[in-house]
Amino acid sequence: MAFVHLDVLCFYSLLICTAFSSVSSNAEIKVNPPQDFEIVDPGYLGYLCLQWQPPLFLDKFEECTIEYELKYRNIDSEDWKTIITKNLHYNDGFDLNKGVEAKIHTLLPPHCTNGSEVQSLWSEATYWKSPQGSQETKIQEMDCVYYNWQYLLCSWKPGMGVHFHISYQLFYWYDGLDHATQCPDYIKVDGQNIGCRFPHLEASDYKDFYICVNGSSDSHSIRPSYFIFQLQNIVKPLPPDYLSLTVKNSEEVNLKWSMPQGPIPAKCFIYEIEFTEDDTTWVTTTVENEIRIARISNESQQLCFLVRSKVNIYCSDDGIWSEWSDQQCWKDDIWKETLVFFLTPFAFVSLFVLLVTCLLLYKQKAVLKTIFQRKKEVFSHQDTFC
C-alpha cells in the first residue's frame, strides 16, 4: 500500500510539473512589435501608405508564418478598420481634413506557440496635414455631379473670409493616374475659379476619386479642402422621353417611356413616376420602362404623368435623380361626348325626314310624270283630228 500511495503522489506531481512547465513555456514565448511603423503620404490627396518592417529577433520563428493586425481610422471616427495581413504595407484612402491614426502588432499563430496565439505590444503612428490658413478660408458648398455617366462637373463657393483676389486651384487623382492632376478647364465668375469641368476620365468608375481644392493669396494662407467619392455614386442621368399614356379600358391606364439616352445600361435605371388623376396625385417607382396603373374612377376627366430616372442599387450605392420629364396627359372630352349624345338621335331623325321627303318627292314626280303623259296624249289626239 505504501508503494501504491507513493506512485499516486508521483503521478500527481508529474502532472503539476508538466502543467507549470507548459505555462512557463508559453509565458516565455514573446514577439516584438513591427519596426519603423509610419504613415506615408505619396501626394495622392488622401491615398496613404501605412508601412513597417519586421520585428526584431524573428530567427527562432523561421518556420512560422508571421502576421500583422493593423487598425486605422480618421481621428474623430469611433470605429477602427481592421486588417490582418502578411505584407509589410497597406494602402487606403483617408479624409485629410482630419488627422489619421493607426496601430499595428505582430501575431504568432497557435501552431508556433503550443496552441495559443501570441501578440506583441502595439506600435502606433499618426499623420496630420500641416494646417494652413484659417477655417474660414476653406471653400464652401462643394458640389460634384457626374452627368449622364459621361462628364464630371464640380462647383464651390469661396470661403467666408476671403477676398476676390483669391485664386483657387483644384487637383484630382484616382488609381490609374501617375500623379495628382490640376483641373484643365475652370469655371470662372468675375475672374475667380468657382468650378471645374473635367476631361474624359478613363477607367475611373468604382474607384475612390480624390479631390483637393486649395488656393493662394498675397495677404494670407488658404486652408485646403479634401474630398473622396466614387463617380458612379454621383451620376445624374438624363430624364426619360417619348412618354405615352394609353387608356386601356375604364379601369386601367398603361404608362410607357423610353430609356434615357447615353452610356448607362438599361439594367442600371430606377424610375420614379408621378401620376395625377384629376386632383389626386401619387408617386411610385419601378425598374421597368412601362407600368400599368388602376384608375380611381372611370369618370375621371384628366390623367397625367411625369417620370424621372436614377442609377439603381445594382450599379451604385447612391445617385442623383434626373430632372422630371415633360408631362404627358390624356383628357376625356366631355363636350364631345355630350355633343355626340345629342347629335346621334338628331341624325337619325334627320335621316328619317330626308328619306320621307325623298319618297314624297319621288311619288310627286311620278304623279307629275303621269299627268304630263296624259296631256301629251290628248294634244297628240287633237292634232290627228285636225
Side-chain angles (χ1 to χ4, degrees):
M1 290 295 293
F3 288 106
V4 172
H5 182 66
L6 182 60
D7 289 340
V8 171
L9 289 176
C10 291
F11 176 72
Y12 279 114
S13 299
L14 181 61
L15 286 178
I16 292 172
C17 290
T18 302
F20 274 108
S21 175
S22 177
V23 172
S24 176
S25 176
N26 284 340
E28 292 174 357
I29 298 177
K30 294 183 179 180
V31 65
N32 290 314
Q35 301 181 86
D36 303 327
F37 180 45
E38 61 179 343
I39 302 173
V40 178
D41 185 354
Y44 296 151
L45 313 180
Y47 187 71
L48 304 181
C49 178
L50 292 79
Q51 60 187 32
W52 57 93
Q53 295 298 321
L56 296 172
F57 309 117
L58 282 182
D59 297 344
K60 55 183 178 181
F61 303 114
E62 290 181 354
E63 297 181 359
C64 293
T65 301
I66 304 299
E67 293 183 331
Y68 305 97
E69 181 179 18
L70 172 67
K71 292 178 177 288
Y72 59 92
R73 64 181 180 181
N74 276 111
I75 286 180
D76 67 341
S77 175
E78 295 181 357
D79 301 321
W80 293 88
K81 290 185 178 180
T82 301
I83 299 295
I84 304 294
T85 180
K86 300 173 185 177
N87 298 322
L88 297 176
H89 61 87
Y90 188 80
N91 299 331
D92 204 352
F94 296 87
D95 181 1
L96 292 189
N97 297 301
K98 310 164 186 176
V100 177
E101 61 180 343
K103 57 184 180 179
I104 189 171
H105 62 186
T106 311
L107 302 178
L108 291 180
H111 69 271
C112 297
T113 58
N114 298 326
S116 62
E117 185 179 69
V118 173
Q119 304 176 354
S120 74
L121 298 175
W122 289 101
S123 180
E124 299 181 352
T126 59
Y127 178 79
W128 290 87
K129 268 289 190 183
S130 301
Q132 299 176 359
S134 63
Q135 190 72 17
E136 291 76 18
T137 61
K138 293 179 63 174
I139 63 167
Q140 306 176 76
E141 300 180 27
M142 179 70 160
D143 182 46
C144 293
V145 179
Y146 199 25
Y147 286 97
N148 209 35
W149 214 312
Q150 290 178 303
Y151 61 96
L152 176 65
L153 189 148
C154 291
S155 61
W156 60 83
K157 292 183 179 180
M160 296 177 61
V162 301
H163 303 289
F164 286 106
H165 63 275
I166 296 295
S167 175
Y168 287 108
Q169 296 91 34
L170 180 146
F171 294 85
Y172 66 95
W173 182 87
Y174 61 89
D175 188 14
L177 297 181
D178 294 333
H179 53 80
T181 303
Q182 186 174 181
C183 171
D185 184 13
Y186 284 108
I187 302 169
K188 297 177 180 287
V189 172
D190 297 329
Q192 188 176 60
N193 297 337
I194 54 91
C196 175
R197 299 181 188 92
F198 289 77
H200 174 68
L201 302 170
E202 186 176 355
S204 58
D205 301 336
Y206 302 99
K207 299 177 180 179
D208 285 339
F209 194 92
Y210 300 85
I211 286 180
C212 172
V213 181
N214 58 23
S216 59
S217 169
D218 296 335
S219 58
H220 52 269
S221 300
I222 305 299
R223 177 75 63 91
S225 297
Y226 296 90
F227 306 90
I228 308 174
F229 48 80
Q230 294 198 351
L231 295 184
Q232 75 277 359
N233 295 332
I234 57 171
V235 171
K236 183 177 182 178
L238 293 174
D241 51 13
Y242 302 109
L243 279 65
S244 68
L245 188 157
T246 306
V247 180
K248 292 290 186 181
N249 49 54
S250 61
E251 298 179 352
E252 192 176 61
V253 180
N254 188 70
L255 310 179
K256 192 174 182 179
W257 54 91
S258 66
M259 187 184 76
Q261 298 180 359
I264 305 176
K267 65 180 181 179
C268 289
F269 282 111
I270 184 172
Y271 301 99
E272 185 175 68
I273 301 98
E274 182 181 282
F275 182 76
T276 302
E277 183 172 354
D278 289 340
D279 296 329
T280 304
T281 300
W282 69 93
V283 176
T284 187
T285 57
T286 179
V287 293
E288 305 293 337
N289 67 329
E290 184 175 9
I291 189 173
R292 293 182 179 180
I293 295 180
R295 295 175 66 176
I296 297 175
S297 169
N298 58 8
E299 297 181 357
S300 52
Q301 302 304 314
Q302 179 170 287
L303 307 172
C304 295
F305 81 106
L306 304 164
V307 186
R308 61 179 180 173
S309 60
K310 188 175 80 167
V311 178
N312 62 34
I313 60 173
Y314 301 106
C315 298
S316 70
D317 296 328
D318 201 356
I320 302 171
W321 284 107
S322 73
E323 301 298 327
W324 285 102
S325 67
D326 294 333
Q327 188 179 59
Q328 180 70 22
C329 292
W330 172 88
K331 292 184 179 181
D332 189 6
D333 196 341
I334 187 171
W335 296 107
K336 183 178 178 180
E337 291 186 358
T338 303
L339 186 62
V340 170
F341 178 78
F342 285 106
L343 286 180
T344 301
F346 178 76
F348 280 111
V349 172
S350 300
L351 182 61
F352 177 75
V353 171
L354 181 62
L355 289 174
V356 171
T357 303
C358 289
L359 288 173
L360 291 174
L361 291 174
Y362 179 79
K363 187 175 181 180
Q364 185 179 9
K365 182 179 180 182
V367 171
L368 292 173
K369 185 177 182 181
T370 302
I371 294 173
F372 178 76
Q373 288 292 340
R374 286 180 180 179
K375 286 184 176 182
K376 185 176 182 182
E377 290 175 359
V378 171
F379 288 137
S380 176
H381 178 72
Q382 288 179 352
D383 292 340
T384 304
F385 178 75
C386 291

